[in-house]
Amino acid sequence: MQKIIFASNNRHKLSEITKLAEGLPVEIVSLKEIGWTSEIPEDYDTFEQNALQKAITIFQHTGLSCFSDDSGLEVEALNGLPGVHSARFYLSKYPDVPPQDRDRYNNLLLLEMLQHSTNRNARFRTVICYVEDGHPHYFEGVVRGTIAYEPAGSNGFGYDPLFIPEGYQITFAQMSSEQKNMLSHRARAMEKFVQYLKNKIR
């Protein structure tokens, strides 16, 4: 069975991706499982560059195939913000927030910035970079929707309580994990990645 490293310790992402890859003769392992404890910088301006930076760092360290994703919420009325800064968006106004409250304050700041806007259009975007034999391959997933006026739901993470995907009346956080995984940006990118792996394994 081929071992592929997922360059992340985000347990929510790992759980989503492991479910999507079920049935493939591959073992997906996290950074924790290979003993990697150092922070990998994400200091570029695009999802593609950040995903490559993480994946190539781990590939060069281990020599094993590795993939990484960089994801974010792009809000039309905010000219694409928070974008690559989605995870640490709150820092621009709430620098002293403890890590466990990060999601709540990210959502709070987003609502504050949109309080006078009737344009609630947004999209979640994921870019997966898979590095094998030193060569990167990219897979993108996008889901469009709108930003709710207040949080709803307790499932998921990040901006899920505010994001209503196109064609639905509920947020990602109000969906079951199975329902979200069927249409999320990460699922759409992962489906392309999994198809690539299937074609390689045949």
Side-chain angles (χ1 to χ4, degrees), residues 181-199:
N181 282 346
M182 286 176 62
L183 54 98
S184 78
H185 51 304
R186 189 170 296 108
R188 290 175 179 181
M190 192 63 188
E191 283 169 8
K192 295 175 184 177
F193 176 38
V194 168
Q195 189 58 52
Y196 173 82
L197 292 176
K198 285 180 179 177
N199 292 337

Side-chain angles (χ1 to χ4, degrees), residues 24-200:
L24 278 178
V26 297
E27 179 187 4
I28 296 176
V29 298
S30 67
L31 293 179
K32 182 179 180 181
E33 291 174 277
I34 65 167
W36 182 277
T37 57
S38 303
E39 192 75 22
I40 304 174
E42 297 177 58
D43 46 17
Y44 286 101
D45 296 326
T46 69
F47 295 125
E48 289 82 0
Q49 289 172 309
N50 283 331
L52 174 61
Q53 185 176 25
K54 290 183 284 186
I56 201 72
T57 296
I58 300 304
F59 172 78
Q60 289 172 345
H61 176 75
T62 65
L64 296 173
S65 295
C66 176
F67 72 99
S68 173
D69 83 309
D70 199 29
S71 308
L73 178 69
E74 297 175 326
V75 179
E76 193 173 283
L78 302 180
N79 297 315
L81 288 175
V84 295
H85 306 293
S86 291
R88 297 175 176 84
F89 190 44
Y90 68 96
L91 288 173
S92 62
K93 186 172 181 181
Y94 303 107
D96 299 320
V97 170
Q100 65 269 22
D101 292 330
R102 180 184 76 182
D103 287 352
R104 185 161 65 91
Y105 278 87
N106 276 335
N107 285 304
L108 176 64
L109 179 56
L110 180 60
L111 288 177
E112 287 176 0
M113 295 181 73
L114 287 175
Q115 61 183 323
H116 301 301
S117 177
T118 56
N119 180 1
R120 315 295 287 192
N121 294 332
R123 67 176 186 173
F124 266 125
R125 190 159 73 95
T126 287
V127 174
I128 289 175
C129 178
Y130 176 53
V131 175
E132 60 177 347
D133 300 325
H135 301 293
H137 305 271
Y138 296 94
F139 309 89
E140 182 184 58
V142 173
V143 59
R144 300 181 188 281
T146 55
I147 302 299
Y149 286 88
E150 59 183 30
S154 56
N155 296 325
F157 61 100
Y159 297 94
D160 286 355
L162 289 179
F163 187 79
I164 302 171
E166 214 169 54
Y168 291 81
Q169 302 297 318
I170 59 175
T171 68
F172 268 167
Q174 291 175 291
M175 296 180 175
S176 66
S177 59
E178 291 76 17
Q179 189 178 11
K180 178 191 168 185
N181 282 346
M182 286 176 62
L183 54 98
S184 78
H185 51 304
R186 189 170 296 108
R188 290 175 179 181
M190 192 63 188
E191 283 169 8
K192 295 175 184 177
F193 176 38
V194 168
Q195 189 58 52
Y196 173 82
L197 292 176
K198 285 180 179 177
N199 292 337
K200 291 277 291 185

